[in-house]
Amino acid sequence: MATFIRRLAIAYIFLVFLASADIGFFRGVASFGINYGQIGDNLPQPEKVLELLSSLKITKARIYDTNPQILTAFANSNVELIVTVQNEILNQLDDPQQALQWVSSHIKPYLPNTKITEIQVGNEVFTDDDTTLIQYLVPAVVNIHNALGQLGIKQNIQVSTPSSLAVLDQSYPPSAGSFKSEISGIMYQFLNFLSSTKSPFWINAYPYFAYKDDPTGISLDYVLCNPNQGIVDPYTKLHYDNMLYAQVDAVAFAITKMGFNGIEVRVSETGWPSKGDSDEVGATVQNAATYNRNLLRRQMANEGTPLRPRMRLEVYLFALFNEDLKPGPTSERNYGLFQPDESMTYNVGLSALASSNSTSSASISLTSSATKTKEPAKEYQSLVYWMFVYLLSSFLFMRRIP
């Protein structure tokens, strides 16, 4: 009997430890990614960028190529990288042998030292100005995936492509989300690939653009994720308190209408410019800081969207730096959290997180897997309590056995 009591006490202590520790399935790690663009002539060297990311505890980044300097510099670090096949070479990857050669030369040499977790084949191909590219997308995606398998390195590397919201024919209300008919054939093939490989659908979503185009008709608080009345989808009755989540769920509904369930939607880009031209309404330092700060807080809370509240939404913020060589309006060169000299464009709270003693709850790191939102500490304690009750009941039952 004494042995059983000792075991009971040990089991209870172990359960309490699990519930209070940041380990295992009891506690989720907050997730936040950053886009590391390189269209500038004054950006820091990759080694310095890695130091900056490490100081901020950012452990996920996305780049728009397979820059060998970056892949080499990030070796033996804790930063996971998403790399990109540039649009210009998609037609070459229509050939399986070319795809195998590309993976052999651009990916395999850097593994396993550099943590490449995903290859994104092109960027916004479905809506690119070059309409000939779309025909090469699915073959290129499939060939890259098969090449990873041939080389024995596909276990931890997903393959997908990011799309702009322009792939949607309807996006409001979210339940009306649907893809444009002219891309539906190739979109179906792409979604079939994602479903069979359990890969995510990535979307570049910018509430800023919607506000800029209609500042009198759209609530600024709604797009900035500030407290507001929000909207209610008249068909699902789901309540949305920010536009980003509504945009993500519109994509999820569009995917479902194509006949696919269970494909996770992730945000490959979102952000807010801190400066713009005279006609770029809302592009201010204050709005940029507010949007990104609110988004960061939601990420740290492991929030999901109203449609999928228990699955945390994985987001990659655009962008790490202001990039002075980006073409287009002034806003395009002013999305960065940091200036090229590594000074903050504005403070969204990253410095406080970096100086925190807690590497778990304060980290802006990113989990690559699609995990469901973990329950709050109270629910962990409840689980421990009921496990203890179970063990105690077992003990009392054993005492009654002659």
Side-chain angles (χ1 to χ4, degrees):
M1 187 62 66
T3 299
F4 183 81
I5 292 175
R6 283 196 298 271
R7 288 177 180 173
L8 180 68
I10 292 171
Y12 180 70
I13 293 170
F14 179 66
L15 285 169
V16 171
F17 169 72
L18 284 178
S20 61
D22 272 329
I23 63 174
F25 57 86
F26 278 98
R27 183 78 52 143
V29 178
S31 167
F32 201 84
I34 196 82
N35 282 280
Y36 170 17
Q38 307 155 56
I39 308 177
D41 59 6
N42 55 357
L43 298 175
Q45 292 298 307
E47 291 79 9
K48 296 291 291 181
V49 174
L50 177 60
E51 290 179 13
L52 176 63
L53 295 180
S54 298
S55 72
L56 297 171
K57 301 174 184 174
I58 295 177
T59 60
K60 275 188 179 288
R62 174 177 175 246
I63 60 176
Y64 294 84
D65 53 19
T66 52
N67 187 325
Q69 285 184 291
I70 295 176
L71 296 182
T72 300
F74 280 51
N76 303 309
S77 73
N78 67 337
V79 177
E80 296 181 0
L81 283 175
I82 293 176
V83 301
T84 306
V85 176
Q86 294 170 302
N87 289 6
E88 293 76 17
I89 67 166
L90 287 187
N91 61 337
Q92 301 173 30
L93 302 182
D94 185 49
D95 178 359
Q97 284 304 120
Q98 290 287 332
L100 180 62
Q101 182 178 342
W102 186 89
V103 173
S104 297
S105 59
H106 289 80
I107 303 297
K108 193 172 188 296
Y110 302 98
L111 301 175
N113 294 337
T114 302
K115 297 177 181 176
I116 300 173
T117 57
E118 180 159 338
I119 300 171
Q120 295 191 339
V121 181
N123 186 42
E124 299 187 350
V125 177
F126 281 104
T127 53
D128 194 272
D129 291 337
D130 183 356
T131 56
T132 65
L133 285 179
I134 192 173
Q135 65 184 305
Y136 303 113
L137 176 61
V138 174
V141 166
V142 171
N143 289 339
I144 290 292
H145 175 75
N146 291 341
L148 291 170
Q150 284 182 259
L151 296 170
I153 54 175
K154 75 173 183 179
Q155 290 80 2
N156 300 312
I157 302 178
Q158 293 181 312
V159 182
S160 188
T161 192
S163 298
S164 76
L165 277 175
V167 297
L168 295 180
D169 184 46
Q170 296 286 334
S171 62
Y172 182 85
S175 61
S178 60
F179 292 114
K180 290 180 175 177
S181 58
E182 57 265 35
I183 64 171
S184 60
I186 295 177
M187 181 61 75
Y188 180 88
Q189 297 173 33
F190 177 61
L191 293 175
N192 189 54
F193 168 84
L194 296 184
S195 179
S196 64
T197 59
K198 298 183 177 5
S199 299
F201 187 102
W202 292 91
I203 192 75
N204 297 339
Y206 289 89
Y208 161 71
F209 291 136
Y211 178 76
K212 177 179 73 71
D213 292 341
D214 188 14
T216 59
I218 295 177
S219 164
L220 181 60
D221 284 332
Y222 180 61
V223 293
L224 290 178
C225 305
N226 277 333
N228 68 96
Q229 186 176 357
I231 65 149
V232 175
D233 188 306
Y235 303 104
T236 63
K237 306 305 180 185
L238 293 174
H239 176 260
Y240 291 86
D241 65 359
N242 71 87
M243 182 176 283
L244 178 64
Y245 288 4
Q247 291 175 333
V248 170
D249 279 357
V251 174
F253 276 108
I255 292 172
T256 300
K257 289 173 185 175
M258 295 286 286
F260 296 93
N261 294 307
I263 295 178
E264 182 192 3
V265 180
R266 299 179 182 176
V267 179
S268 39
E269 290 182 18
T270 191
W272 197 285
S274 59
K275 186 188 297 185
D277 295 323
S278 58
D279 62 343
E280 295 187 290
V281 181
T284 67
V285 169
Q286 180 180 353
N287 286 343
T290 299
Y291 180 76
N292 289 321
R293 185 181 300 118
N294 286 339
L295 183 58
L296 175 60
R297 286 171 179 165
R298 290 172 180 268
Q299 284 283 284
M300 298 305 294
N302 280 345
E303 280 192 0
T305 67
L307 181 63
R308 295 171 175 172
R310 292 178 59 81
M311 178 175 285
R312 68 163 317 282
L313 176 65
E314 183 161 341
V315 174
Y316 279 65
L317 182 68
F318 187 88
L320 184 57
F321 296 111
N322 284 338
E323 300 169 65
D324 66 340
L325 296 183
K326 290 199 73 175
T330 298
S331 61
E332 286 295 315
R333 294 175 287 283
N334 289 279
Y335 275 89
L337 296 181
F338 290 87
Q339 301 287 355
D341 65 1
E342 300 181 48
S343 62
M344 285 187 293
T345 307
Y346 46 82
N347 189 358
V348 295
L350 296 182
S351 55
L353 291 172
S355 61
S356 169
N357 289 328
S358 171
T359 59
S360 54
S361 61
S363 175
I364 315 173
S365 73
L366 322 242
T367 50
S368 58
S369 59
T371 56
K372 290 191 174 181
T373 303
K374 309 302 180 193
E375 300 297 327
K378 263 188 180 178
E379 305 224 0
Y380 299 143
Q381 294 165 4
S382 178
L383 174 62
V384 172
Y385 170 77
W386 286 111
M387 287 293 289
F388 179 69
V389 169
Y390 171 77
L391 290 170
L392 183 59
S393 299
S394 299
F395 164 67
L396 293 175
F397 177 76
M398 287 186 65
R399 287 194 62 184
R400 295 175 58 188
I401 300 175

